[in-house]
């Protein structure tokens, strides 16, 4: 529901009714709860901004909006009222990355009968929603799609013998402070709706606008994935899970192909051992590639003298030194790292593969370690004039933690 029809005089009419009825009766009459953050301030009095907007919409159009009919917050109600010349104050501290992660660590997850493990329904649903955010899909998802996509996910990756009930995370994630549900009739919004009501009204649910805005940042998005997995999904095969929900880009630091991927797209014979005749067949292909700054790649190689910064190896190819410019935080989706000297290492082909494959990482002390504890740590060599942004190394370490290769390092 849009708020564009509201006029200044409609808001004034709503505030007058608010004062006449009193706050509690006004909110009860129109199906709202007390504002947790944004309040309209007028003549020294404070009003619940979302309730005022919903009633003002009724004065403007004849259609009085209930709490579940529209979203509140800075980008909707607060902006509408401020555009009309009113003062709207936010009594809560704005959501930031630290607060977001704190909310995620304190999900009100249930425990099944006889089980000490927390339910995975809410964490799995959040990962599914984050995958939509990474793909820049709409913030809110209709109930039928949520049910059809999340339901099988709960069966596949939920606790053993746990019943898949997607309606529970769809509704109860509201308790996280990061999730909202729209489209439930006000008279039914006080308790968990029955599935028949969800099927009849097709409500929508998803991250709040504040949380969704934070998740657009790749660094914050990685931190949320790591927090959810480390807190609730330690025993889950994360690579299988990420591939299942479209987060497989987080299983490497670059764009390496999965070694297990087949060659089904190639033209060939049914018998792999049959002798080929003539040149190998070809097929047309179109792909989108990231344009890298080749001057930067040459610069890092010159600074490091084509020596691998990890193993000090100098490879040779066609009687010339050979090295590779490796991005610490990948350029493409989902990492969206910058193409800059501070995000580059000079590596041999072998160490490049290991680094992108999350088999090695650089610890906070500058030592290169194996994520499987199978190699002696050694310092990452840094040539004078080659700056490295520690934030990119932090991001790479978080990827290793997310893939359960190594405990997190503060």
């Amino acid at each position: 529901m849009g708020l564009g029809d509201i006029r200044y005089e409609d808001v004034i009419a709503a505030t007058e009714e608010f004062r006449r009825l009193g706050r509690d009766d006004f909110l009860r009459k129109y199906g709202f709860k007390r504002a947790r953050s944004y309040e309209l301030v007028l003549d020294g009095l404070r009003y619940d901004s979302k309730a005022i907007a919903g009633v003002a919409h009724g004065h403007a159009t004849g259609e009085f909006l209930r709490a579940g009919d529209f979203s509140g917050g800075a980008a909707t109600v607060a902006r509408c009222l401020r555009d009309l010349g009113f003062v709207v104050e936010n009594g809560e501290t704005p959501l930031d990355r630290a607060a977001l992660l704190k909310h995620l660590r304190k999900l009100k997850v249930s425990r099944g009968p006889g089980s000490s493990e927390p339910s995975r329904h809410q964490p799995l649903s959040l990962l599914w929603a984050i995958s939509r955010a990474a793909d820049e899909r709409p913030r809110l998802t209709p109930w039928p799609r949520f049910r059809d996509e999340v339901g099988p996910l709960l069966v596949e990756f939920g606790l053993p013998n746990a019943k898949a009930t997607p309606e529970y995370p769809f509704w109860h994630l509201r308790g996280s402070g990061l999730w909202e549900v729209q489209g439930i009739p006000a008279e039914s919004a006080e308790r968990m709706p029955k599935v028949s009501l969800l099927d009849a009204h097709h409500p929508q649910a998803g991250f709040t606008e504040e949380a969704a805005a934070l998740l657009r940042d790749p660094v914050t998005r990685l931190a949320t994935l790591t927090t959810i997995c480390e807190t609730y999904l330690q025993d889950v095969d994360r690579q299988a899970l990420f591939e299942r929900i479209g987060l497989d880009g987080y299983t490497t630091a670059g764009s390496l192909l999965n070694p297990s991927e087949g060659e089904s797209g190639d033209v060939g014979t049914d018998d792999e051992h049959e002798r080929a005749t003539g040149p190998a067949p070809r097929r047309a292909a179109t792909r989108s590639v990231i344009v890298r700054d080749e001057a930067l790649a040459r610069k890092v190689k010159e600074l490091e003298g084509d020596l691998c910064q990890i193993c000090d190896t100098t490879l040779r190819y066609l009687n010339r030194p050979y090295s590779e410019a490796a991005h610490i935080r990948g350029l493409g989706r989902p990492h969206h790292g910058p193409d800059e000297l501070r995000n580059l290492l000079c590596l041999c082909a072998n160490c490049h593969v290991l680094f992108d494959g999350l088999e090695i990482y650089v610890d906070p002390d500058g030592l290169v370690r194996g994520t499987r504890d199978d190699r002696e740590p050694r310092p990452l060599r840094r040539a004078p004039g080659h700056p490295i942004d520690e934030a990119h190394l932090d991001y790479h370490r978080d990827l290793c933690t997310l893939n359960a290769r190594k405990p997190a390092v503060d």
Side-chain angles (χ1 to χ4, degrees), residues 147-220:
R147 175 197 60 209
D148 295 344
E149 295 187 10
V150 174
L153 189 67
L154 303 183
V155 172
E156 189 173 352
F157 293 96
L159 291 173
N161 303 318
K163 185 178 179 181
T165 51
E167 63 272 19
Y168 281 93
F170 183 86
W171 180 257
H172 288 300
L173 273 170
R174 299 184 313 156
S176 68
L178 306 171
W179 189 266
E180 63 177 299
V181 178
Q182 295 184 17
I184 295 293
E187 61 272 15
S188 305
E190 294 298 322
R191 59 184 64 186
M192 169 77 197
K194 294 183 178 179
V195 174
S196 58
L197 188 144
L198 297 176
D199 291 340
H201 290 274
H202 290 189
Q204 299 185 92
F207 285 110
T208 63
E209 290 180 344
E210 280 187 302
L214 287 172
L215 288 169
R216 294 189 191 105
D217 171 42
V219 177
T220 300

Side-chain angles (χ1 to χ4, degrees), residues 262-268 280-286:
E263 300 295 333
S264 58
D266 291 340
V267 178
R282 294 178 177 271
R283 59 185 172 87
T286 302

Side-chain angles (χ1 to χ4, degrees), residues 21-168:
L21 295 177
R23 183 181 197 179
D24 291 340
D25 288 344
F26 179 85
L27 297 177
R28 189 178 303 110
K29 176 180 177 180
Y30 291 106
F32 288 88
K33 294 182 178 180
R34 292 199 173 206
R36 291 184 297 179
S37 52
Y38 293 96
E39 292 183 321
L40 168 67
V41 181
L42 181 64
D43 297 331
L45 298 177
R46 307 181 79 87
Y47 303 84
D48 303 84
S49 61
K50 187 175 182 181
I52 291 296
V55 175
H57 189 273
H59 285 292
T61 66
E63 183 180 5
F64 289 83
L65 302 181
R66 298 278 181 163
D69 293 333
F70 66 110
S71 172
T76 51
V77 169
R79 177 182 295 176
C80 171
L81 295 176
R82 285 168 178 159
D83 287 347
L84 292 172
F86 294 97
V87 175
V88 180
E89 294 183 355
N90 183 5
E92 288 188 345
T93 303
L95 188 69
D96 59 13
R97 185 186 304 171
L100 173 67
L101 300 182
K102 183 177 180 180
H103 281 292
L104 291 173
R105 293 188 188 99
K106 295 185 177 181
L107 294 178
K108 298 177 181 178
V109 293
S110 61
R111 284 175 169 77
S115 174
S116 60
E117 292 188 65
S119 168
R120 296 174 182 169
H121 282 29
Q122 289 192 33
L124 289 171
S125 299
L126 288 173
L127 290 183
W128 174 84
I130 291 172
S131 74
R132 289 177 58 83
D135 286 341
E136 300 179 0
R137 297 184 187 180
R139 177 175 64 88
L140 299 178
T141 306
W143 158 246
R145 170 166 287 183
F146 184 96
R147 175 197 60 209
D148 295 344
E149 295 187 10
V150 174
L153 189 67
L154 303 183
V155 172
E156 189 173 352
F157 293 96
L159 291 173
N161 303 318
K163 185 178 179 181
T165 51
E167 63 272 19
Y168 281 93

Side-chain angles (χ1 to χ4, degrees), residues 20 28 174 211 225 272 298 306 325 329 331 395:
R20 186 172 66 253
R28 189 178 303 110
R174 299 184 313 156
L225 292 173
E272 63 178 332
R298 290 194 297 269
D306 284 306
R329 177 178 155 198
L331 297 186
Y395 186 93

